[in-house]
Amino acid sequence: MRGIAAVPSYVVMQPTTLCNLDCVYCYLPLRAADRRMPPTVAEAVAASVNPWAASGRFSVVWHGGEPLAAGREHLAALLAPFGPAVEHHVQTNATLIDDAWCAFFAEHGIRVSVSVDGPRARNGERVTRGGRPAYDRILAGVAALRRHGLPFSALAVVSRPEPGLATELYDYFLDLGCDVLGINIEETEGVNTRTNARDAAAVTGFWAELVGAWRRDPRIHLREIEWSLRYAGAVLAGTADDLLPRRLDPIPTVSHDGSVVVLSPELAGFTDPRYGDFSSGNVLTTPLAEILTGAGRTPWVGEFLTGVEACRSSCPYFGFCGGGHAANRYFELGRFDGTETEHCRNSKIRLLEGVLEHARDHESPAA
């Protein structure tokens, strides 16, 4: 896995910077402002995406802000240029979902992922702009999805791993009705400057406990655990080198104004004295396909690729994570060519160690 691929597997689109919530751990810098993507930006992106989708599965992920804050009429205008082969996903806090939105999702074939951190007591940091808990509004949105028979994924942020939490969360999401679950240990990035340094044993124990909860009732696809088990199985089979792509997925994020940031959506909207706004170009002036072809020449990307090579030569977990994420390096270390971060430790190293710890603790005794 060396260099940047010219064709991504998906594109992230920011229909608006606005979010109607003000979650304590949010990384977004412009979430109080309603800066909407004009349809001309979507048209420019679709000109590159539609041919890619014709050649194989391709997704567009609508991610704000809160994408639904753009409104159905505006979002429909942004969807219009994309061909029928493009799969659409939306990452939402669910507080705006009602019957009309469910009809919109069904009409446009949009797959929904809901951000919710577990039962009411675990959602204290997901609040409205007035500081009020958003939990009841989130549940109302989920209820609408279930009422209309729309499948949905869930994404939970865990700020303080502790014994018993993994089982509590897994049981909660079983009852919630999602079919895929992703777990993010809180990250220090963007405008969220809270430390993400966590006790190693607590984080490893959290992941080990989560494996156990999932194995007892594996009705949900559990993103992190299934990837870890796939990697462990490949190591045992001697095929681990086949898991990572030959080149890094550029994961282009197209901001509301058409500027394109590669590799880490979390860098969009930020600037640096050395690198400026992290953009590799703007789709209103340069085709997206052309921007991605030249993305490796963006100065900060070159620094990041140097960091990836440093990880390759120094970290035994490289085959599992592929060198980590650019935004985590930048916001934790202040540079892109560093190596291990707290995010690496919490969400890669301790994740894999937790899976292995569970396996050791539950291996069959020798006959």
Side-chain angles (χ1 to χ4, degrees):
M1 188 181 70
R2 299 180 187 275
I4 307 292
V7 177
S9 59
Y10 63 99
V11 171
V12 180
M13 300 278 281
Q14 185 183 51
T16 178
T17 57
L18 180 67
C19 187
N20 60 320
L21 297 188
D22 193 21
C23 301
V24 175
Y25 51 68
C26 184
Y27 65 87
L28 292 166
L30 301 173
R31 62 186 187 270
D34 188 7
R35 301 181 184 180
R36 297 191 183 189
M37 175 181 285
T40 51
V41 170
E43 292 164 7
V45 173
S48 292
V49 164
N50 288 338
W52 292 335
S55 301
R57 183 177 180 182
F58 197 91
S59 298
V60 171
V61 179
W62 300 92
H63 194 304
E66 167 52 48
L68 306 193
R72 285 184 295 277
E73 183 177 347
H74 189 69
L75 194 54
L78 298 178
L79 291 167
F82 294 95
V86 177
E87 298 181 6
H88 292 280
H89 301 250
V90 63
Q91 185 67 46
T92 174
N93 60 40
T95 60
L96 301 176
I97 296 178
D98 56 14
D99 292 338
W101 271 113
C102 288
F104 183 90
F105 298 147
E107 177 186 357
H108 295 279
I110 297 174
R111 173 73 194 212
V112 179
S113 179
V114 173
S115 298
V116 57
D117 298 339
R120 184 183 301 275
R122 302 291 181 182
N123 273 267
E125 295 185 326
R126 299 189 62 77
V127 296
T128 67
R129 297 217 151 267
R132 299 179 62 83
Y135 185 70
D136 288 338
R137 293 174 61 185
I138 295 170
L139 281 196
V142 169
L145 291 170
R146 296 185 65 169
R147 191 164 59 248
H148 286 264
L150 295 175
F152 64 96
S153 304
L155 183 62
V157 173
V158 172
S159 296
R160 291 169 293 278
E162 58 190 20
L165 174 59
T167 301
E168 177 188 355
L169 289 180
Y170 189 75
D171 290 345
Y172 172 84
F173 285 104
L174 278 177
D175 291 339
L176 192 69
C178 62
D179 53 9
V180 179
L181 173 61
I183 300 287
N184 289 346
I185 305 294
E186 183 182 339
E187 301 169 41
T188 301
E189 59 185 3
V191 298
N192 179 27
T193 59
R194 302 196 309 187
T195 180
N196 61 338
R198 299 287 180 265
D199 177 74
V203 178
T204 302
F206 169 83
W207 290 120
E209 182 185 321
L210 190 60
V211 179
W214 175 75
R215 289 189 65 193
R216 286 192 295 273
D217 191 353
R219 281 180 286 151
I220 293 177
H221 287 292
L222 196 48
R223 186 183 64 182
E224 289 77 16
I225 301 305
E226 292 186 29
W227 166 246
S228 303
L229 293 173
R230 191 177 304 121
Y231 173 75
V235 169
L236 292 174
T239 59
D241 285 346
D242 297 333
L243 285 182
L244 293 176
R246 296 300 94 188
R247 292 181 178 270
L248 286 166
D249 192 326
I251 318 174
T253 294
V254 183
S255 298
H256 67 97
D257 61 358
S259 60
V260 178
V261 173
V262 298
L263 296 172
S264 284
E266 299 85 358
L267 292 170
F270 290 92
T271 59
D272 179 87
R274 293 178 297 156
Y275 296 129
D277 64 3
F278 299 114
S279 169
S280 293
N282 191 297
V283 297
L284 294 178
T285 56
T286 308
L288 179 59
E290 185 176 329
I291 291 172
L292 298 185
T293 298
R297 295 189 293 273
T298 304
W300 74 262
V301 174
E303 183 176 292
F304 171 70
L305 293 176
T306 299
V308 171
E309 292 308 308
C311 284
R312 186 196 307 275
S313 64
S314 65
C315 182
Y317 296 88
F318 181 84
F320 178 56
C321 79
H325 300 295
N328 296 112
R329 293 171 189 257
Y330 177 75
F331 289 115
E332 287 193 37
L333 307 177
R335 298 185 58 83
F336 292 101
D337 56 0
T339 54
E340 191 172 309
T341 63
E342 291 295 345
H343 173 72
C344 291
R345 298 180 188 105
N346 291 333
S347 299
K348 305 296 182 181
I349 296 172
R350 291 162 190 163
L351 164 60
L352 190 56
E353 290 179 347
V355 171
L356 296 176
E357 178 180 292
H358 173 85
R360 285 191 296 267
D361 291 345
H362 293 82
E363 63 183 353
S364 299

